[in-house]
């Protein structure tokens, strides 16, 4: 068997392995409360975001945008001590009826940044 025949499959495996490792190196949003697109009958008192890996709360954050496009005051981000992939952000004032947008950014423990947004409604 020639070196050329062995090298191609080994090279292909290395590429696949490297690609999989890179895909896991970012904190992706897995779930949130309120859920994206949710119609809430009671206004939430906090936002909870769950990521695919631990995040650095000091370098992560979110903005809550209200129905009038104004930024709604929120408290400081906290991580769950038992789950560094979860952040909890208290909402400082009760939300009124309307559509809200959450714009978030997260830095994973390995330094990679991700961002996104979603909406929910309060009736």
């Amino acid at each position: 068997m020639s070196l050329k025949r062995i090298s191609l499959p080994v090279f292909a495996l290395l590429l696949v392995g490297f690609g999989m490792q890179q895909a896991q190196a970012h904190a992706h949003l897995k779930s949130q409360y309120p859920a994206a697109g949710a119609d809430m009958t009671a206004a939430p008192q906090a936002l909870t975001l769950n990521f695919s890996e631990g995040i650095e709360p000091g370098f992560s954050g979110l903005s809550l945008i209200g129905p009038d496009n104004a930024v709604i005051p929120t408290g400081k981000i906290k991580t769950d001590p038992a789950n560094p992939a979860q952040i909890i952000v208290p909402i400082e004032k009760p939300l009124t009826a309307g559509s809200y947008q959450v714009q978030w950014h997260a830095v994973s423990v390995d330094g990679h940044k991700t961002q996104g947004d979603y909406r929910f409604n309060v009736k």
Side-chain angles (χ1 to χ4, degrees), residues 5 10 14-15 19 26 30-32 44 47 66 70 74 77-78 82 84 98 108 114-115 117:
R5 287 186 182 179
V10 170
L14 286 173
L15 281 178
H26 294 78
K30 289 175 55 177
S31 64
Q32 64 277 339
L47 303 170
T74 58
I77 287 180
K78 299 174 188 171
S108 62
T114 55
Q115 62 186 24
D117 64 90

Side-chain angles (χ1 to χ4, degrees), residues 11-32:
F11 181 69
L13 279 172
L14 286 173
L15 281 178
V16 169
F18 180 72
M20 289 174 70
Q21 188 177 24
Q22 289 288 66
Q24 295 173 353
H26 294 78
H28 297 286
L29 185 63
K30 289 175 55 177
S31 64
Q32 64 277 339

Side-chain angles (χ1 to χ4, degrees), residues 6-122:
I6 293 173
S7 297
L8 186 57
V10 170
F11 181 69
L13 279 172
L14 286 173
L15 281 178
V16 169
F18 180 72
M20 289 174 70
Q21 188 177 24
Q22 289 288 66
Q24 295 173 353
H26 294 78
H28 297 286
L29 185 63
K30 289 175 55 177
S31 64
Q32 64 277 339
Y33 176 82
D39 289 319
M40 308 290 294
T41 54
Q45 296 179 341
L47 303 170
T48 303
L49 284 69
N50 295 292
F51 293 91
S52 58
E53 64 183 67
I55 64 131
E56 294 287 349
F59 299 102
S60 303
L62 62 75
S63 294
L64 178 60
I65 312 299
D68 58 356
N69 289 323
V71 176
I72 306 296
T74 58
K76 186 176 178 182
I77 287 180
K78 299 174 188 171
T79 54
D80 180 343
N83 182 3
Q86 181 181 75
I87 60 170
I88 301 165
V89 181
I91 300 170
E92 293 185 350
K93 296 180 180 179
L95 300 181
T96 59
S99 179
Y100 292 85
Q101 180 180 26
V102 177
Q103 298 173 341
W104 60 268
H105 65 275
V107 175
S108 62
V109 291
D110 63 3
H112 290 100
K113 185 175 181 179
T114 55
Q115 62 186 24
D117 64 90
Y118 67 92
R119 292 186 168 277
F120 67 90
N121 302 302
V122 175

